[in-house]
Amino acid sequence: MRMRVIGITGTFGSGKGTIVKYLQEVYKAKHFSGRAIIAKCAHDHYGIITKDRDDLRINANRLREELGPDILVRTAADCAKEQKCHIAIIESIRCTGEIDYLKERFGNLFFLLAVDAEQKERFKRIVFRGDITDKVSFEEFCRQESAEIESTSLWEQNLMRCIARANHIILNNGIKDDLHAAVDKFLYEDVI
């Protein structure tokens, strides 16, 4: 069976990581993290170490502008191809140029899943998660998110356009079991 590629897009704290973990545990999918790829590419190309969400956004935009809007997902896709996995997850898709590349490369074996939730609920989740990029006030969280919500550029983050292009959108305002059920539905209706 040929490899299927699931791109995951969505707002901060909406549940992308929870979806990834579920897909890994239940469906034995391989995960290729956007954050890790940005950090690696920024280090390889510029000798920069990313420290926070703003650094990640700035470096991702710079990489996409200078090396093409597909540089990050191309790197992830190449890694997935080498590992010969059944399901590859590329998380987190943040610009339309990345979607265009994955659709062109994988055709009908590429599926884009979007996840969103209410903003205050998402902020609570990131505070609980406690990652280094999550140690921000609610105001800073809103500012960072607004910097990634819309852009007219192919290489800059545009979460709203990415979400609009998804094969399936999950609103994750409930409990984890509801999210898992929604992911199962997406997989059985669209992917498998």
Side-chain angles (χ1 to χ4, degrees):
M1 183 174 266
R2 293 171 58 198
M3 178 177 70
R4 286 163 170 72
V5 177
I6 299 173
I8 300 180
T9 190
T11 52
F12 301 169
S14 58
K16 294 181 298 293
T18 302
I19 291 171
V20 167
K21 187 174 181 184
Y22 181 70
L23 289 170
Q24 288 176 300
E25 290 172 359
V26 175
Y27 295 93
K28 306 304 179 217
K30 299 279 185 192
H31 176 223
F32 302 91
S33 163
R35 182 181 297 181
I37 290 166
I38 293 167
K40 180 185 180 332
C41 288
H43 183 265
D44 291 351
H45 291 281
Y46 309 122
I48 296 170
I49 296 174
T50 56
K51 297 179 184 86
D52 59 24
R53 187 176 300 279
D54 287 327
D55 282 349
L56 287 166
R57 179 179 43 78
I58 290 164
N59 287 323
N61 287 343
R62 181 178 173 195
L63 286 158
R64 289 186 197 107
E65 183 177 15
E66 293 178 11
L67 304 172
D70 61 359
I71 182 61
L72 302 172
V73 295
R74 185 172 8 116
T75 302
D78 289 346
C79 291
K81 202 85 165 157
E82 286 173 14
Q83 291 201 17
K84 298 179 180 160
C85 50
H86 175 63
I87 298 175
I89 308 161
I90 299 177
E91 177 251 351
S92 159
I93 306 296
R94 297 204 175 274
C95 78
T96 57
E98 293 173 332
I99 297 169
D100 294 339
Y101 172 80
L102 291 168
K103 281 184 180 265
E104 183 179 315
R105 180 164 178 180
F106 296 104
N108 64 357
L109 296 175
F110 170 67
F111 308 89
L112 185 61
L113 175 62
V115 62
D116 196 6
E118 293 173 7
Q119 191 175 48
K120 292 226 180 210
E121 178 63 28
R122 292 187 288 107
F123 179 70
K124 281 191 244 174
R125 290 176 187 163
I126 71 150
V127 169
F128 180 75
R129 178 172 69 190
D131 193 66
I132 191 152
T133 60
D134 297 333
K135 295 178 191 288
V136 295
S137 66
F138 182 68
E139 292 74 24
E140 183 68 6
F141 171 81
C142 293
R143 183 199 62 76
Q144 289 174 339
E145 185 169 73
S146 70
E148 294 193 24
I149 289 293
E150 289 193 59
S151 173
T152 56
S153 163
L154 275 179
W155 61 82
E156 289 184 356
Q157 286 91 335
N158 190 328
L159 291 177
M160 289 300 103
R161 286 191 184 164
C162 291
I163 291 170
R165 291 183 63 183
N167 297 87
H168 192 86
I169 300 171
I170 296 173
L171 295 176
N172 181 26
N173 290 315
I175 62 173
K176 200 181 283 189
D177 287 345
D178 294 340
L179 178 61
H180 292 168
V183 171
D184 290 337
K185 182 178 183 206
F186 159 69
L187 282 169
Y188 287 108
E189 289 180 0
D190 294 330
V191 180
I192 298 176

